[in-house]
Amino acid sequence: PDASARTDIRDCSTDPPYLPPTVTNTSARLAALRDTMRAHGVHAYVVPSTDAHMSEYIAERDARLGWLTGFTGSAGTSVVTQDKAALWTDSRYWTQAERQLDCNWELQRTTWIESIVLWILEAVPVGGNVSVDPFLFSIDTWNSYSQALHGSGRTLLPIETNLVDRVWGDQRPPLASSKIYSLPGEFTGSSWQEKVAGIRQQMEQHVRRPTAVLLSGLEETAWLFNLRGEDVPYNPVFYSYTLLTHTDISLFVDEERLLDSARQSLRAGCPGTLCVELLPYGQARDRLSRYAQGNVTVWLGTEYTNYGLYGVIPQDKLLEDSYSPVMLAKAVKNAKEQELLRAAHVRDAVVVIQYLLWLEKMVPQGQVDEFSGAQHIDGLRWSVLPPRPTPTPSAGRPG
């Protein structure tokens, strides 16, 4: 049927417009955001779908785009001015967006930054600014916006106060409170001290002789210290940064959430070069800024480092690769990890065979669809999971 005749998507051409029940009314949220923009002298505000660690999956607390627009797809960018608002997303989500956006929003069926900037140039007069939270932009994304706006008479302006968070206020989901725990040695094959020694060796052997490695990706710190958490659904990670030098280790994390066993493991080598200094998560930028004032070279991976951190390091003190040495080391599995991977695949192969036999029986009877089939194989997989490698029932699954 013609799209205009469908009742599951919005129709903004009628008076009044038709909005399906899946739509979120964003009028009050946009009005509050625009008031905040005016108070900060912001002409256009860009809201991405990322968190400060460039994570593939994000926590509800970081779902700013979803809260502001009502659109819950995993990829998108929105721009708000005083009289316009638009959302950019790819073809996977066009129908979903039409079901979730109200008529305050224009849907732009592309993700190209060039398209976003062209829209901004029409919406923002010469002399205006385009503001972003630098902690939610990757280095490459920041550079792309900067280059596209260069010479246009509009200024790309970082503003560290996240304006959506200001408007979201007390309704924003709380900080994670679940415990961070150590992964037992039978699941890692290497102690965190051995991993740190390996990274330091790479630092010594590098032609640039970096003095520090900055870790921004959540899985990097989790892997390096053999720690696990539950800050992001279905991902065994926790909010953190790490600054590793030849003589010091700084872990920026909510220390109160560390189980005693995890804290003792990190502090067992104190004082010394294998002593982990535990610092508040929010102090990462200030500590990095002070460190970068010395005669140093900071090695980082650009894929997971936000511009808010990157921007405090002078260019001549940077050593940039797409991925940090920790991310690359993590990709090479040791003997214990290989053993566990093979065992997991054997268990899963048994489940898949059981599932195929079940399908052969149930499909001819017309008693299975995609959803019930997915539920059944999930149940089979749960039934063969090994014991959870956690010291307490509340510590979470490592994945």
Side-chain angles (χ1 to χ4, degrees):
D2 182 68
S4 63
R6 293 171 57 176
T7 59
D8 62 340
I9 64 174
R10 64 180 182 165
D11 185 353
C12 298
S13 65
T14 62
D15 187 16
Y18 171 75
L19 298 176
T22 48
V23 159
T24 298
N25 184 337
T26 63
S27 296
R29 298 174 186 183
L30 279 170
L33 177 60
R34 285 166 172 151
D35 287 343
T36 305
M37 289 167 59
R38 279 193 294 272
H40 286 80
V42 172
H43 299 104
Y45 193 60
V46 184
V47 182
S49 57
T50 57
D51 67 6
H53 303 272
M54 307 299 112
S55 305
E56 182 177 4
Y57 303 99
I58 62 173
E60 289 185 9
R61 179 177 174 80
D62 289 315
R64 299 172 178 89
L65 182 73
W67 178 82
L68 180 65
T69 67
F71 169 70
T72 58
S74 65
T77 301
S78 68
V79 181
V80 178
T81 68
Q82 286 300 323
D83 56 2
K84 291 184 178 181
L87 170 78
W88 285 258
T89 191
D90 63 74
S91 58
R92 294 173 297 168
Y93 300 113
W94 292 345
T95 300
Q96 178 180 346
E98 294 287 8
R99 291 171 175 168
Q100 295 183 317
L101 297 176
D102 65 11
C103 291
N104 288 310
W105 295 91
E106 302 173 20
L107 175 60
Q108 303 290 330
R109 291 174 167 81
T110 178
T111 57
W112 293 351
I113 290 177
E114 293 81 359
S115 170
I116 299 174
V117 171
L118 284 174
W119 187 93
I120 288 172
L121 294 180
E122 291 184 2
V124 176
V126 172
N129 63 61
V130 180
S131 293
V132 301
D133 180 342
F135 292 95
L136 299 183
F137 278 72
S138 69
I139 298 165
D140 287 344
T141 301
W142 171 274
N143 289 336
S144 295
Y145 275 93
S146 180
Q147 292 168 10
L149 287 168
H150 181 71
S152 70
R154 285 81 168 174
T155 303
L156 184 60
L157 181 67
I159 179 168
E160 293 179 18
T161 299
N162 189 286
L163 303 188
V164 174
D165 291 351
R166 290 287 297 272
V167 175
W168 205 346
D170 295 340
Q171 298 303 309
R172 187 182 178 202
L175 289 164
S177 60
S178 59
K179 293 299 182 179
I180 301 168
Y181 61 97
S182 294
L183 198 61
E186 62 263 31
F187 292 95
T188 64
S190 299
S191 69
W192 71 260
Q193 292 90 342
E194 291 171 331
K195 293 178 179 180
V196 165
I199 300 304
R200 283 174 167 165
Q201 183 178 23
Q202 289 191 51
M203 293 165 63
E204 292 173 357
Q205 295 173 347
H206 198 286
V207 66
R208 288 278 307 276
R209 295 295 181 94
T211 61
V213 173
L214 173 66
L215 304 180
S216 295
L218 298 184
E219 59 191 86
E220 296 178 303
T221 289
W223 177 85
L224 182 65
F225 295 114
N226 292 334
L227 297 175
R228 298 294 186 266
E230 294 182 319
D231 292 10
V232 179
Y234 311 111
N235 290 262
V237 294
F238 51 93
Y239 291 115
S240 58
Y241 295 101
T242 297
L243 185 65
L244 170 66
T245 74
H246 291 291
T247 57
D248 301 291
I249 309 169
S250 299
L251 172 57
F252 302 90
V253 69
D254 182 357
E255 181 180 354
E256 294 182 356
R257 295 178 52 211
L258 287 165
L259 286 178
D260 289 341
S261 55
R263 185 182 296 104
Q264 291 168 9
S265 171
L266 297 173
R267 303 287 293 169
C270 297
T273 60
L274 289 174
C275 171
V276 179
E277 182 183 15
L278 300 172
L279 297 166
Y281 172 81
Q283 290 186 9
R285 183 180 184 274
D286 289 342
R287 174 61 71 95
L288 179 63
S289 179
R290 291 196 298 272
Y291 179 78
Q293 294 174 10
N295 183 23
V296 300
T297 300
V298 180
W299 194 1
L300 55 80
T302 57
E303 289 292 320
Y304 291 91
T305 304
N306 65 61
Y307 190 81
L309 292 182
Y310 176 84
V312 303
I313 308 171
Q315 285 293 315
D316 61 340
K317 298 179 180 181
L318 277 166
L319 171 56
E320 302 177 45
D321 283 319
S322 295
Y323 300 99
S324 77
V326 168
M327 190 64 80
L328 295 179
K330 173 181 173 294
V332 180
K333 306 305 180 186
N334 61 38
K336 171 56 69 172
E337 290 170 327
Q338 292 181 39
E339 173 190 334
L340 293 173
L341 283 169
R342 293 189 185 100
H345 279 287
V346 169
R347 289 196 303 272
D348 197 58
V350 172
V351 166
V352 171
I353 291 170
Q354 292 173 334
Y355 181 59
L356 292 174
L357 290 171
W358 180 80
L359 285 177
E360 286 186 357
K361 177 181 178 181
M362 302 302 292
V363 170
Q365 299 177 22
Q367 298 183 24
V368 60
D369 55 25
E370 288 186 41
F371 182 67
S372 62
Q375 287 182 307
H376 187 74
I377 196 169
D378 282 348
L380 292 173
R381 283 182 167 131
W382 276 104
S383 70
V384 299
L385 283 175
R388 295 173 67 175
T390 57
T392 66
S394 63
R397 182 178 302 282

